[in-house]
Amino acid sequence: MQFGEAKSVDTLSLERRDIVVLPETSLPAPVEAFPGQNFDNFDRGLLPYHARRDAAAGNICFSPLTLSLYMLQNAFLVIAPQLNGVILTENCEIVEEPSCFRQRELTCPGMAFPTFPRHAAFSHAFAGFDRSTSNHYHWLLYAISKSCVARPFLPRATPILLPDAEACLEPHRPVLPRGYHHETLRVSGLLPHVTPVSQGIYPVRRLYFMWHTPKMPELYLRVPQVQAEFDRFTTPRAAFLPKRFFISRAQSADQRISAQDQTVIDIVLAAHEIATVSLDDMDVSTQIALFRGAELIIAPHGAGLANLAFARPGTAVLELNRQLDGQPHLRNCFYLLSAMRGLRYAMIDLSDAPLTIFQLQEALRRVSQR
């Protein structure tokens, strides 16, 4: 197969049904972590979200949003390294939005589409995952969540397609615990409705997927139904888990915390009797129970904070953030998730200066105030 001159189409040209329409919305701005905190990098990170700060009201204002269920006839769905979740039209043109996380070098103009097995066609199916599905954030907040939110709007008995986790998902570091994907499907209630698919190209006569306008992927988290679905996840209580904790990325190649910053963190954690936890070896139910029972969560920016989707309103969250991958702004997805969950959110920007004991202690005091 080859792309039709590697052209792409956007969702505005496709058949759709609008399922959630949100007006302009105001959400609480982050708590000021310490006197005179500089929010420039944070505020620049609002621009891709079509959002702006209303300093007088102490809010962040988001423009209207529409979530739509799309149906594409005679489509192709790709399950392949670096291309998971790519959707093609019958003319082999890329549907841009749900394919946005793909490795773009593989879809440059004039390039032949890599050769993969072509499987038997589905008459109809739903796909809500993307190329980065091996990442906890993308699996939980997109693949699982979109499958849950879409189900009531799909024709009866529509298969939900997800890559077979053992065979198709590219290794991600740190590696997710064994059985993680199956357990997530179980606690979400999706297990009976999912059809695992192996590597290859799947023709689908009627392929359903969801996207929204504005098109920034993280804006999906604004949809209230997303939060309602996570509240329905089942898990036992675990009384032995700490209620105030710092999430360590010690097992990650990218810790996002300098040795100097970690020294400051260790001093403050000890002084305030705050536990250190690692999510890398926790099963899904334990992670859900940890965040559901939390009173205070401190963490560097990372996929583990996707579990804020399980935190209760009023939980205090302090994110240690910094500019990543050369971007001139902060990634504010966990601010948005926190605001939608009713959490008390503060952040410290470590992009330009090291963390100090005063900053961290003052941030903990302020974010913990009721």
Side-chain angles (χ1 to χ4, degrees):
M1 295 179 66
Q2 288 201 356
F3 291 106
E5 299 179 4
K7 290 188 291 189
S8 62
V9 297
D10 65 35
T11 54
L12 293 177
S13 65
L14 305 179
E15 179 181 336
R16 76 177 191 270
R17 172 189 175 192
D18 297 339
I19 57 176
V20 178
V21 179
L22 302 178
E24 182 173 299
T25 305
S26 292
L27 295 172
V31 174
E32 186 180 52
F34 48 84
Q37 182 175 15
N38 186 330
F39 283 98
D40 287 350
N41 286 334
F42 176 88
D43 288 349
R44 278 194 292 273
L46 295 175
L47 298 178
Y49 292 178
H50 296 256
R52 57 181 174 79
R53 180 187 291 270
D54 182 346
N59 291 330
I60 306 296
C61 299
F62 290 82
S63 60
L65 180 140
T66 300
L67 178 68
S68 304
L69 181 69
Y70 291 86
M71 193 277 285
L72 183 61
Q73 295 194 50
N74 301 318
F76 297 97
L77 178 67
V78 182
I79 313 292
Q82 312 299 326
L83 294 172
N84 269 337
V86 166
I87 293 173
L88 307 174
T89 69
E90 60 185 329
N91 297 320
C92 296
E93 296 168 324
I94 301 167
V95 182
E96 187 60 35
E97 290 86 352
S99 307
C100 65
F101 291 103
R102 70 186 186 276
Q103 183 174 321
R104 291 178 180 268
E105 291 81 357
L106 298 176
T107 57
C108 290
M111 287 193 65
F113 192 78
T115 300
F116 302 114
R118 178 165 171 158
H119 296 276
F122 283 91
S123 62
H124 62 300
F126 173 82
F129 62 95
D130 60 62
R131 173 252 166 138
S132 298
T133 295
S134 57
N135 177 285
H136 175 63
Y137 174 95
H138 285 255
W139 173 262
L140 184 67
L141 296 187
Y142 295 156
I144 295 295
S145 171
K146 288 184 177 182
S147 298
C148 289
V149 171
R151 269 197 64 225
F153 301 99
L154 296 171
R156 186 176 178 84
T158 298
I160 293 173
L161 304 185
L162 285 171
D164 180 88
E166 300 297 326
C168 298
L169 294 184
E170 301 153 47
H172 182 75
R173 298 292 184 269
V175 176
L176 294 169
R178 187 171 183 82
Y180 162 86
H181 298 91
H182 183 275
E183 181 69 2
T184 314
L185 293 173
R186 187 189 66 79
V187 298
S188 67
L190 282 174
L191 192 58
H193 310 287
V194 166
T195 299
V197 284
S198 58
Q199 182 171 296
I201 296 174
Y202 290 83
V204 186
R205 295 189 183 93
R206 296 190 307 281
L207 179 62
Y208 297 90
F209 66 91
M210 289 196 309
W211 208 260
H212 45 78
T213 54
K215 298 177 180 179
M216 185 69 173
E218 291 94 323
L219 287 174
Y220 169 73
L221 301 177
R222 282 186 57 200
V223 175
Q225 286 88 334
V226 174
Q227 315 309 325
E229 289 294 343
F230 285 115
D231 287 336
R232 282 194 277 272
F233 277 39
T234 58
T235 185
R237 291 186 174 273
F240 63 90
L241 294 170
K243 295 185 179 297
R244 293 155 44 89
F245 54 87
F246 168 77
I247 301 173
S248 171
R249 289 176 58 91
Q251 296 187 44
S252 173
D254 181 9
Q255 297 187 24
R256 298 178 181 168
I257 294 290
S258 70
Q260 181 179 352
D261 292 338
Q262 189 62 57
T263 298
V264 168
I265 292 168
D266 291 341
I267 291 170
V268 174
L269 296 182
H272 292 266
E273 298 183 329
I274 297 171
T276 296
V277 301
S278 172
L279 304 180
D280 301 326
D281 300 320
M282 286 188 188
D283 61 27
V284 174
S285 293
T286 304
Q287 291 188 37
I288 296 173
L290 176 70
F291 277 74
R292 280 232 171 111
E295 296 175 355
L296 169 66
I297 301 164
I298 312 165
H301 180 91
L305 282 175
N307 290 318
L308 291 174
F310 304 115
R312 297 169 300 164
T315 303
V317 177
L318 176 59
E319 181 180 12
L320 305 177
N321 209 345
R322 63 181 349 116
Q323 293 166 295
L324 298 171
D325 300 328
Q327 292 176 324
H329 55 76
L330 298 182
R331 296 178 181 175
N332 293 335
C333 50
F334 297 120
Y335 154 71
L336 178 55
L337 181 57
S338 296
M340 288 300 301
R341 298 289 302 172
L343 316 182
R344 282 185 56 81
Y345 173 92
M347 67 87 192
I348 298 179
D349 182 3
L350 302 179
S351 302
D352 302 316
L355 185 65
T356 70
I357 291 176
F358 168 76
Q359 288 175 338
L360 186 53
Q361 288 187 324
E362 184 66 6
L364 292 180
R365 184 185 70 81
R366 292 183 176 207
V367 79
S368 299
Q369 287 179 339
R370 300 294 179 183

